[in-house]
Amino acid sequence: MKSISVAAQLIIFSRYIGQQVMVISLLNNSEVNIGVLSGVKHNAIAVDIDDVIRWIPLYDNFRLCEIKLLLKPLKNLRLMLFLQQTTCP
């Protein structure tokens, strides 16, 4: 599987600030944490886990963590958009 460059990952993550993410640590026996994506800078992302903001650095040549966005199913998003359209003046 091809990997996405750090620059591309940061662009993608910057669009989803405020969404839940799952962080799988590749150093601590695959420890899994769920938090909220709270920020992006030139080489790292900030994740709020249990009211503690952790900066996770991203590198092209090795990975410390696997980060997955937890998005709502498309069915729920369509329902939310429909409700917003019907309630807006």
Side-chain angles (χ1 to χ4, degrees):
M1 183 169 107
K2 287 188 175 184
S3 62
I4 300 173
S5 70
V6 169
Q9 289 179 42
L10 292 172
I11 290 170
I12 293 167
F13 284 129
S14 68
R15 295 179 183 171
Y16 292 99
I17 291 176
Q19 293 292 321
Q20 284 191 329
V21 292
M22 180 171 53
V23 179
I24 303 168
S25 174
L26 300 177
L27 300 174
N28 296 335
N29 298 325
S30 299
E31 178 184 340
V32 177
N33 290 306
I34 295 179
V36 176
L37 183 62
S38 60
V40 174
K41 61 181 185 177
H42 71 282
N43 65 346
I45 63 168
V47 178
D48 185 353
I49 300 172
D50 297 330
D51 295 325
V52 176
I53 297 177
R54 299 176 182 164
W55 282 98
I56 301 171
L58 302 175
Y59 303 103
D60 279 324
N61 51 355
F62 68 96
R63 294 171 44 188
L64 299 172
C65 299
E66 185 175 343
I67 303 162
K68 297 182 178 186
L69 287 166
L70 300 177
L71 300 175
K72 296 178 182 177
L74 185 57
K75 180 179 176 183
N76 291 351
L77 289 175
R78 280 189 283 175
L79 178 62
M80 287 174 48
L81 289 173
F82 175 74
L83 292 174
Q84 285 179 349
Q85 289 175 350
T86 57
T87 58
C88 291

